[in-house]
Amino acid sequence: MISLAGRDILHAWGKFIFTGIGLGLLIGVTLTMAGVYRGMVEDGRVLLDNSGADLWVVQKDTLGPYAESSSIPDDLWRSIRAMPGVAEAVNITYLTMQVRKGDADVRAMVVGISAGEPGAPGWPPFLIAGRQITRGHYEAVADIATGFQLGDVLTIRRNQYTVVGLARRMVSSSGDPMVFVPLKDAQEAQFLKDNDAILMQRRRTEANPTFNRPAVPGLLDAVIESQTSNNSVNAVLVRIRPEFTPQEVTAPIRRWKRLTVYDREQMEGILIGKLIATSAKQIGMFLMILAVVSAAIVAFIIYTLTMDKIREIAVLKLIGTRNFTIAWMILQQALVLGVIGFVVGKISATFAAPLFPKYVLLLPTDSVIGFFAVLAICVLASVVAIRMALKVDPAEAIG
């Protein structure tokens, strides 16, 4: 019966091949959607790995710098550095915005890093071209996904920055490429107002008699200076000593500094369990819809092929062929259709993944699971055709 199934496939090979290609494109979309989800998870983990931190100290009762807004004074790092078990503590800011280059702009996460050296928390761990930031102002290191080149001049808010280094796979949890700038510049870009807003606020302050007292010289200038200066960061990245556990270091910081502290496991849970939870549900719904559509296509084509050979099936039953043999022949056709579709889908997903703007991670385990899922769908889809074939009356062979 293997030969009979093969001969029947060859008899309608055109319909079979084109159906396999159509099914394969659906399977390719399914594998790509799974790769998009895997890529989102990988982006979150890469973000944590590249930060070089063991702990994230953020504003009390917030989820940290990646999930929601966090603002803490930029002098807290000194007292945190003095806590038991802390090896390094540095300030950092994160701001997702449009970074302009000439008339074009790119969505990127601007990261403000403290003065230090390569290997310090928050710094790009390695570069593929150029050098690290060595000046306190107006230099930038960009991820290659931004499309920037060495020597390009970027505009971030009101200031311009020269790209001195290029990095790879430095992305935010949403897949946006990163642009690293000095901390003071990032603070100005994130927290300070534009010139017009500063001017209007200064006029309001001068018109307020509480701040503009003739008997208190210098009060107005002090208030205006406090309004136009910034002393906030989004988080403090902490690297702990090897002999200490995260729990031993986080407890004193929470108790004495009145701040929220997350370790690596907790921060990964926030990124994966909260930031991409809704996207994961959407992708899951798409996968279910694609699975139903794929099953419907397989069921339709196998049913059509079975209807085309009703008389042949009746002849087989008339000469005494067992129902199992007939069912196995139809099932073989469904499985062959599934194998063709999976091969086409795997090839299309592999070539399409690099074309996506965000990272698509195609794991071998997902391909293996997808292969067996396709075979299972084909088996279920062939049930209708098998039931119809088994109900054929042998008398139709001579009717």
Side-chain angles (χ1 to χ4, degrees), residues 6-26:
R7 288 177 179 272
D8 189 63
I9 291 174
L10 291 176
H11 177 71
W13 67 270
K15 182 187 297 185
F16 216 82
I17 293 297
F18 284 112
T19 303
I21 293 175
L23 177 63
L25 295 177
L26 281 176

Side-chain angles (χ1 to χ4, degrees), residues 70-74 91-93 183 187 191 231-236:
S70 168
S71 179
I72 59 177
D74 62 1
N91 290 324
I92 197 164
T93 65
L183 179 64
Q187 287 177 302
F191 297 105
N231 298 305
S232 297
V233 294
N234 296 130
V236 175

Side-chain angles (χ1 to χ4, degrees), residues 40-41 43-59 62-68 70 92 94 173 234-238 246 250 254 260-276:
M40 294 168 62
V41 173
D43 284 342
R45 290 173 177 165
V46 166
L47 173 62
L48 300 183
D49 290 338
N50 291 338
S51 70
D54 299 317
L55 302 176
W56 287 258
V57 182
V58 298
Q59 181 180 339
T62 65
L63 294 178
Y66 310 124
E68 62 185 34
S70 168
I92 197 164
Y94 297 100
S173 58
N234 296 130
V236 175
L237 303 182
V238 175
T250 58
R254 292 192 183 109
T260 298
V261 187
Y262 296 106
D263 58 24
R264 168 61 188 261
E265 183 178 353
Q266 293 170 328
M267 189 58 69
E268 186 171 322
I270 291 173
L271 290 178
I272 298 175
K274 298 182 183 298
L275 286 187
I276 66 175

Side-chain angles (χ1 to χ4, degrees), residues 32-249:
T32 304
M33 293 295 292
V36 169
Y37 170 74
R38 297 294 188 186
M40 294 168 62
V41 173
E42 184 65 15
D43 284 342
R45 290 173 177 165
V46 166
L47 173 62
L48 300 183
D49 290 338
N50 291 338
S51 70
D54 299 317
L55 302 176
W56 287 258
V57 182
V58 298
Q59 181 180 339
K60 186 175 176 61
D61 298 328
T62 65
L63 294 178
Y66 310 124
E68 62 185 34
S69 177
S70 168
S71 179
I72 59 177
D74 62 1
D75 58 355
L76 278 178
W77 72 272
R78 295 184 177 89
S79 56
I80 294 174
R81 175 65 180 84
M83 300 294 289
V86 175
E88 292 183 76
V90 298
N91 290 324
I92 197 164
T93 65
Y94 297 100
L95 174 63
T96 301
M97 59 177 294
Q98 298 296 128
V99 177
R100 287 176 291 147
K101 175 195 169 186
D103 296 332
D105 55 29
V106 175
R107 189 72 172 174
M109 174 179 276
V110 177
V111 183
I113 54 177
S114 301
E117 59 184 9
W123 280 59
F126 64 91
L127 301 181
I128 62 173
R131 60 172 175 83
Q132 296 278 6
I133 295 174
T134 58
R135 298 179 181 177
H137 295 283
Y138 312 130
E139 288 189 344
V141 171
D143 187 88
I144 59 172
T146 58
F148 301 146
Q149 303 293 330
L150 293 177
D152 286 349
V153 177
L154 314 179
T155 302
I156 299 176
R157 292 289 191 258
R158 62 184 112 178
N159 296 323
Q160 293 185 328
Y161 300 81
T162 302
V163 178
V164 298
L166 296 176
R168 185 188 300 273
R169 286 293 291 150
M170 301 297 300
V171 295
S172 68
S173 58
S174 59
D176 296 322
M178 287 183 171
V179 176
F180 296 85
V181 298
L183 179 64
K184 290 298 182 181
D185 292 344
Q187 287 177 302
E188 181 178 351
Q190 181 170 358
F191 297 105
L192 293 186
K193 301 176 181 178
D194 60 80
N195 293 332
D196 293 334
I198 292 175
L199 181 60
M200 288 187 289
Q201 185 179 41
R202 184 174 298 173
R203 289 174 177 172
R204 294 190 188 98
T205 304
E206 292 174 349
N208 191 332
T210 303
F211 301 131
N212 194 0
R213 301 179 186 178
V216 186
L219 175 60
L220 179 62
D221 294 337
V223 172
I224 291 176
E225 183 179 357
S226 66
Q227 291 175 342
T228 56
S229 62
N230 170 67
N231 298 305
S232 297
V233 294
N234 296 130
V236 175
L237 303 182
V238 175
R239 188 174 290 169
I240 63 176
R241 298 184 184 277
E243 63 270 19
F244 286 81
T245 64
Q247 292 73 23
E248 293 174 337
V249 180

Side-chain angles (χ1 to χ4, degrees), residues 8-9 15-16 19 23 294-310 313 326-338 377-389:
D8 189 63
I9 291 174
K15 182 187 297 185
F16 216 82
T19 303
L23 177 63
S294 300
I297 291 177
V298 175
F300 176 76
I301 191 63
I302 295 300
Y303 180 82
T304 302
L305 292 175
T306 303
M307 288 293 295
D308 290 341
K309 53 179 180 288
I310 286 295
I313 293 175
I326 297 174
W328 176 236
M329 179 188 67
I330 297 174
L331 182 59
Q332 278 182 314
Q333 294 178 339
L335 293 176
V336 171
L337 185 62
I377 290 174
C378 291
V379 171
L380 294 176
S382 64
V383 171
V384 176
I386 291 174
R387 289 188 60 185
M388 212 262 291

